[in-house]
Each structure stands twice: as C-alpha cells, then as structure tokens.
Amino acid sequence: RPVLVELNTHGMLCRNASSRRAIPTATVVEKVSSFPYIPDFRKNRPGMEAGEPLDPASMSIAKELWLAASQSAIKTAKLLGDLGVQKSWPGWLLDAFSFVDAVITATDWVNFFSQRFHSSAQPEMQKLASLMMTAMATSGPPKYLKWGEWHLPFIKDEDRKSLSLDEQKKVSVARCARVSYSTHMGIRDVADDIALYHRLLSARPMHMSPFTHQAQPVNWRDSDGSIAYVAQFCGWEQFRKSIPGESGQPARGIYGTA
C-alpha cells in the first residue's frame, strides 16, 4: 500500500484499488497474517534514494523486527475491531504490511515509466514498474479497435457471446468497482454486477471512478491537428464522459445551481 501512494501521484492513470474502508478488518488481518509484505531492506544514505542491500545478518534482523511489528499491528487491529471501530482505522495500522489489488487504465505511460523505472525511485516501485513493462512487452500485439468498439476490462469471451454491448459496459464497470473490496476469483454473477452498476450510477454523488476504465476510440483533433485528449485519455473517450453530470457539477459549472 505505501507504493500505491506513489503511484497515485500520476494523474494520467485511472485506477481503482483495494480500499481499507471497504474490506473487513478480519479479512485484512487474515491476509497480513498469512502473507505479510516484507521489504527487501537497503541501507540508509543521505537524500531520498536507498543505498545498497543490507548484509545477510542485518537483513535477517531487519526482517525479524518487521515481522514483530506486523504481529503487534495485527493484535491492535483485532482489539480495535472487537471494540466495533470502523474498519478504516484498524486498516491504517496494517497498511505497511498489506498488498493491494488495483486496476489501472491509461493511454500515456512514458512519464510513469521514466519516473518509476529509474534508479532514484523507491526499490519496490522500480520492481513494480519493471514487471509492468515486461507484461506490456510480452502481451502480444495490441488489438486495434474502431469507433463503436470498446475496451472493457474484465469482460471475457463468454460475456461477449451472452451479453449485449450495453450489458458488457455495465458489467465491466461493476467488476472494476469490485476491486475495492473483493477479488475476481470464482463465479461471477452478471445480475449482481448490473445491480451494482445501477447503485454506483444512482448514488448521490455518483461513484464515477469505475466508469473511467471503459473507453472507445475517437478521432477527435485539436486545432493543430494533433490527436485530442478526452480527460486523461488520448484518442479515447471514457465511458464516464458519456454520462450527464458525471463531474458532479451542472452544465453552468456552478455547484448547486439548476
């Protein structure tokens, strides 16, 4: 989760991630107990950059101290949970030891990789950026879409065969939203997904972040002829942008007016 804080500084990335406000304390405790995050510690040195890795003996001690801290955090989180404290605060104690699931969509990755796949970046972020670059490089040739075709995360071939395009967009929104509090393993319930879509859309204010990952290509141009941006995307229009009032403001741009 500390790495997520650094990733969130990149405004061109649309993302949804596991939320400490949504996941029950007992679930987070179980995950941290069975699979805590343990850093690959490095030496301190002046400035922001980490130094070389610790020697084996120091590394062993550092990891023991880290695990001891995780056990203390787990114990305190359980006690707070037993008191009925809302799950956000026990979750804070477990942040340093927690992994996060996230779905991220973007058309521009150059700045992210130049910043985060760099020797001055946090080592964990360097590793994440390296894995992302490898995944993108080995995923095969990109699939080109035409106007009217949609990029829809979490939509499988069986969904395309059984659902209309409108239903596919709704299901994709819901499944992106579910990253906040659950995994994508096991059986998917299309009816539940569509019901969740409508809850997100009908909420006041609307919950729009899961609507930013679905997009269709557009050939809109700026005055100089270059491909236009629509929100964070270049050459693509987010599903969110087709929904009236998606920004939370009325047409005149003054909050609270008709």
Side-chain angles (χ1 to χ4, degrees):
R1 187 169 291 278
V3 172
L4 179 65
V5 175
E6 297 189 20
L7 187 142
N8 284 345
T9 64
H10 294 270
M12 299 304 290
L13 309 184
C14 296
R15 61 252 176 211
N16 284 93
S18 305
S19 170
R20 72 170 72 86
R21 295 176 57 206
I23 301 175
T25 299
T27 301
V28 181
V29 165
E30 180 182 357
K31 290 183 176 181
V32 172
S33 298
S34 60
F35 190 47
Y37 172 68
I38 304 174
D40 185 15
F41 293 105
R42 301 191 182 193
K43 291 184 178 180
N44 186 43
R45 67 181 184 185
M48 295 176 61
E49 298 177 30
E52 64 271 20
L54 297 179
D55 62 81
S58 297
M59 182 71 77
S60 178
I61 294 172
K63 290 184 176 180
E64 288 181 10
L65 291 170
W66 187 265
L67 286 172
S70 73
Q71 292 303 309
S72 177
I74 287 170
K75 180 179 179 180
T76 306
K78 286 180 177 179
L79 292 172
L80 289 171
D82 292 342
L83 284 173
V85 172
Q86 202 273 343
K87 47 189 170 288
S88 296
W89 289 285
W92 285 351
L93 295 176
L94 300 170
D95 273 358
F97 315 103
S98 300
F99 287 92
V100 177
D101 295 322
V103 54
I104 305 169
T105 308
T107 59
D108 292 69
W109 290 95
V110 173
N111 177 261
F112 173 80
F113 287 127
S114 63
Q115 292 275 349
R116 301 305 178 179
F117 187 57
H118 190 277
S119 60
S120 63
Q122 181 74 14
E124 290 86 349
M125 182 58 86
Q126 291 182 48
K127 184 173 183 179
L128 175 63
S130 174
L131 292 170
M132 292 168 68
M133 290 177 69
T134 299
M136 292 173 71
T138 59
S139 64
K143 180 180 179 181
Y144 289 91
L145 302 182
K146 297 178 289 186
W147 169 255
E149 297 178 330
W150 283 77
H151 169 73
L152 298 172
F154 300 117
I155 294 299
K156 305 295 184 181
D157 288 339
E158 56 265 30
D159 298 315
R160 296 184 181 93
K161 294 176 182 177
S162 61
L163 303 176
S164 68
L165 177 59
D166 182 64
E167 290 172 327
Q168 290 176 43
K169 289 189 282 187
K170 293 176 180 178
V171 168
S172 177
V173 167
R175 290 175 180 173
C176 288
R178 291 189 191 281
V179 172
S180 294
Y181 58 88
S182 66
T183 66
H184 286 270
M185 308 298 289
I187 298 173
R188 302 173 191 253
D189 190 314
V190 170
D192 281 353
D193 286 337
I194 292 177
L196 174 56
Y197 164 86
H198 286 293
R199 290 199 299 273
L200 296 168
L201 190 63
S202 62
R204 291 297 179 269
M206 293 183 286
H207 298 309
M208 286 284 100
S209 62
F211 292 72
T212 60
H213 303 281
Q214 306 74 32
Q216 63 177 334
V218 293
N219 192 28
W220 299 338
R221 302 281 171 164
D222 287 330
S223 58
D224 62 359
S226 60
I227 300 175
Y229 276 83
V230 183
Q232 295 101 320
F233 291 177
C234 182
W236 295 77
E237 181 187 26
Q238 299 171 351
F239 185 27
R240 172 175 183 161
K241 291 302 173 183
S242 67
I243 298 173
E246 54 83 23
S247 67
Q249 294 181 335
R252 285 187 287 170
I254 303 175
Y255 188 80
T257 60

